[in-house]
Amino acid sequence: MSLSSPDVLDRPAARPARRPLTVAIVGATGAVGAELIACLERRGFPVGELRLLASPRSAGQTLSFRGAPVTVQALDEDSFDGVDLALFSAGASVSRRYAPAAQAAGAWVVDNSSAFRMDEATPLVVPEVNAWRLDEAPGRLIANPNCVAAIAAVALQPLHARRLVVRIIGATYQAASGAGAAAMEELRASTAAALAGEAFTPQVLAHPYAFNLFSHDAAVDPETGYNGEELKVIAELRRLLASPELPASFTCIRVPVLRAHAMALTVRFAEPVSVAEARAWLAEAPGVRLVDDVAGNHFPMPSEASGADEVLVGRIRTDLSDPSRRSLSLFVAGDQLLKGAALNAVQIAEALVRTGAL
Ligand code: A2P
């Protein structure tokens, strides 16, 4: 089967004959790591041995997989002996240092960090959007996109496939989980403190988080005035939509939500597109759940996106500021830990299994 076949999309791996795989998770104790373990289990990924890797701080801790305890090991250069698939989610510096060791051991690497996403030789993949790029991974290394870029691409691809997207303006409402498990804990603790009327000093994020929101913590580029997150989203969306010059602008904001990102997107197309057309295309798109109940004022919400595999899309309307009627505005919500990270990584691995690449 070719990787460009629709069959690679969003179906759990049913691995027929070959041996079960040895799978390593780097960053197993983190927020994404926990979801990687859960996704492998609930989607029936053909795991023979699961190797859980983290920093020496976590060595000896046990986590559960299929009801059995698995001991966390400290990551080192020898961690990948016999590993078929290594799922990395411990930050870019860890990926840069250890992904080569995994590749040298013969493993396929799916990397959730930003380390290789803009590397031309490394496919940046959301299976619903560009699974065909998995055919082009000579280094057996696949990059998993930034969470906002992945979620936006799932919502935009069904439209882009019919009417070329020519401009995107977006504003994001990003959850704590994007900054890791410690930031999620800081949201809980700071909210509890605020409700109790107690003082709270932020430890993880730069600003008070309870009942507040603030610009994403990535450093601002002095030349453009955009922060690192905004620049990543723009660059990665261009890659995912195979539109290298696509004009795009984002404002990325951290909001006090635990694990689902939301975003308002205003998108211009090369030709006019009606709301009815967009709704019909999105309703049948893989990985999308249309949530567009105008009468009930029910649109995508982080509370309903949390824990969901699908990206929720709604509030679809013609952009009144574009007299050519070539622009739509939409509101989108997706689970940052799932489609924005762990689920997408596991779907990439499933696509590799289905085609026999892995
Ligand atoms: P540990 O828990 O031992 O620090 P999150 O994004 O939720 O903060 O999680 C980050 C993950 O990356 C954790 O599993 C963390 O392990 C892991 N990690 C961080 N630094 C390293 C490192 N130098 N080597 C291995 N794993 C690391």
Side-chain angles (χ1 to χ4, degrees):
M1 184 199 305
S2 154
L3 284 159
S4 15
S5 147
D7 257 7
V8 299
L9 299 181
D10 204 28
R11 280 189 345 195
R15 187 180 176 79
R18 292 173 54 193
R19 71 191 160 81
L21 300 170
T22 298
V23 178
I25 297 180
V26 178
T29 50
V32 174
E35 294 300 327
L36 284 167
I37 297 169
C39 281
L40 292 173
E41 182 168 331
R42 83 178 152 87
R43 294 175 71 88
F45 193 83
V47 179
E49 179 197 334
L50 185 63
R51 206 168 293 173
L52 300 181
L53 304 166
S55 80
R57 293 180 292 274
S58 303
Q61 189 181 322
T62 54
L63 298 171
S64 170
F65 179 63
R66 294 183 191 147
V70 181
T71 303
V72 176
Q73 301 171 32
L75 171 67
D76 67 30
E77 313 282 347
D78 300 324
S79 296
F80 302 100
D81 285 353
V83 167
D84 300 295
L85 169 68
L87 302 168
F88 275 72
S89 193
S93 57
V94 171
S95 293
R96 274 195 207 97
R97 175 151 177 216
Y98 292 98
Q103 288 171 287
W108 275 86
V109 173
V110 180
D111 181 38
N112 192 50
S113 82
S114 60
F116 308 107
R117 289 179 189 152
M118 295 312 293
D119 173 0
E120 270 307 313
T122 303
L124 180 72
V125 175
V126 172
E128 293 91 336
V129 174
N130 62 347
W132 54 271
R133 287 229 55 198
L134 294 172
D135 281 331
E136 305 165 354
R140 297 183 159 213
L141 170 65
I142 313 288
N144 204 38
N146 165 282
C147 40
V148 171
I151 291 165
V154 171
L156 292 176
Q157 176 64 20
L159 308 175
H160 188 51
R162 275 93 169 187
R163 300 279 192 281
L164 203 66
V165 169
V166 297
R167 184 185 188 203
I168 304 172
I169 296 176
T172 69
Y173 309 75
Q174 295 184 221
S177 56
M184 295 171 80
E185 187 44 41
E186 183 153 305
L187 175 56
R188 288 192 190 93
S190 63
T191 305
L195 290 172
E198 292 164 3
F200 185 89
T201 307
Q203 308 288 328
V204 181
L205 294 161
H207 303 289
Y209 205 1
F211 306 106
N212 191 26
L213 54 82
F214 43 87
S215 191
H216 191 282
D217 32 293
V220 171
D221 168 33
E223 206 173 302
T224 59
Y226 284 70
N227 67 41
E229 178 80 352
E230 292 159 353
L231 293 173
K232 269 191 226 173
V233 171
I234 293 166
E236 293 182 30
L237 263 180
R238 288 175 175 159
R239 278 200 88 188
L240 289 168
L241 299 177
S243 190
E245 307 294 328
L246 181 66
S249 177
F250 271 79
T251 302
C252 289
I253 302 294
R254 186 81 70 192
V255 298
V257 163
L258 273 174
R259 60 177 286 166
H261 287 353
M263 60 197 79
L265 302 176
T266 294
V267 187
R268 181 179 291 173
F269 301 90
E271 297 160 79
V273 50
S274 72
V275 170
E277 284 171 323
R279 271 204 196 111
W281 297 334
L282 286 162
E284 64 179 29
V288 170
R289 191 197 310 164
L290 191 65
V291 182
D292 205 23
D293 174 7
V294 176
N297 192 32
H298 187 167
F299 301 110
M301 289 183 274
S303 60
E304 292 184 352
S306 294
D309 284 354
E310 304 94 350
V311 169
L312 279 43
V313 186
R315 286 271 15 235
I316 304 166
R317 60 210 189 275
T318 299
D319 170 17
L320 292 177
S321 74
D322 178 0
S324 73
R325 302 186 70 79
R326 287 185 295 138
S327 301
L328 295 177
S329 290
L330 1 142
F331 197 66
V332 175
D335 190 309
Q336 187 274 330
L337 293 173
L338 291 176
K339 193 59 196 176
L343 173 66
N344 197 64
V346 171
Q347 287 172 316
I348 288 170
E350 289 170 354
L352 294 171
V353 168
R354 267 195 297 278
T355 59
L358 187 65

